[in-house]
Amino acid sequence: MVTGRVVAHGAILKPVAEIAVYGRSNARARVQAVIDSGFTGHMTLPINAIRALNLTLVAEEEMTMANGETVVFEAYSALADWHGQLRPVRVHCAEADPLIGMEMLRDHDLQVRVVPDGPVSIDPLAQRGTRAHSG
């Protein structure tokens, strides 16, 4: 299970989880990343973290922002410690808080108690079993 806490920035609440990210030459960083359901990729990191991890540039990709604007982001290859196993991830360079996106959360159960310092947990669906949802 990946865990975290809801962090309060004034009236704004952000679910945050800490994960370890690995680059080349045994470079490693523990990252506090905001969970962002509006971001479709794996994760983002600022350029200083990407350089410190010595990540390999693999592509430039167009992404559509929430306001409809299309922006080109550099994408890098990394490994993330995800539930105790190293998982290949694509890291997009963005000068903002690091993000964990929906591709990282695919096939997982995300639970967030949306209050200051509330718990955040991310569990693989196989661990909890799939649940029937009614609408």
Side-chain angles (χ1 to χ4, degrees):
M1 173 180 358
V2 174
T3 61
R5 288 273 186 242
V6 174
V7 176
H9 294 287
I12 298 171
L13 300 176
K14 296 180 179 182
V16 175
E18 182 177 273
I19 61 172
V21 181
Y22 297 84
R24 295 186 302 185
S25 306
N26 296 322
R28 175 182 178 261
R30 294 210 57 81
V31 176
Q32 297 281 331
V34 175
I35 298 166
D36 184 352
S37 64
F39 173 53
T40 59
H42 284 106
M43 65 184 309
T44 69
L45 289 174
I47 191 64
N48 63 338
I50 288 169
R51 287 181 181 148
L53 289 166
N54 196 23
L55 299 184
T56 302
L57 179 66
V58 293
E60 289 188 349
E61 298 176 343
E62 286 187 357
M63 299 185 94
T64 303
M65 307 303 287
N67 65 2
E69 179 185 3
T70 300
V71 178
V72 176
F73 287 90
E74 292 179 337
Y76 295 81
S77 176
L79 295 173
D81 184 342
W82 196 245
H83 305 291
Q85 296 184 7
L86 292 181
R87 173 183 177 179
V89 294
R90 185 163 282 205
V91 175
H92 290 89
C93 182
E95 292 305 315
D97 289 337
L99 301 177
I100 293 173
M102 292 303 287
E103 188 59 33
M104 196 76 156
L105 297 172
R106 181 184 296 273
D107 297 324
H108 285 73
D109 183 19
L110 170 64
Q111 293 190 358
V112 180
R113 183 167 302 144
V114 187
V115 297
D117 204 35
V120 173
S121 65
I122 304 167
D123 295 303
L125 289 178
Q127 183 176 351
R128 288 190 178 190
T130 56
R131 298 181 187 154
H133 295 279
S134 59

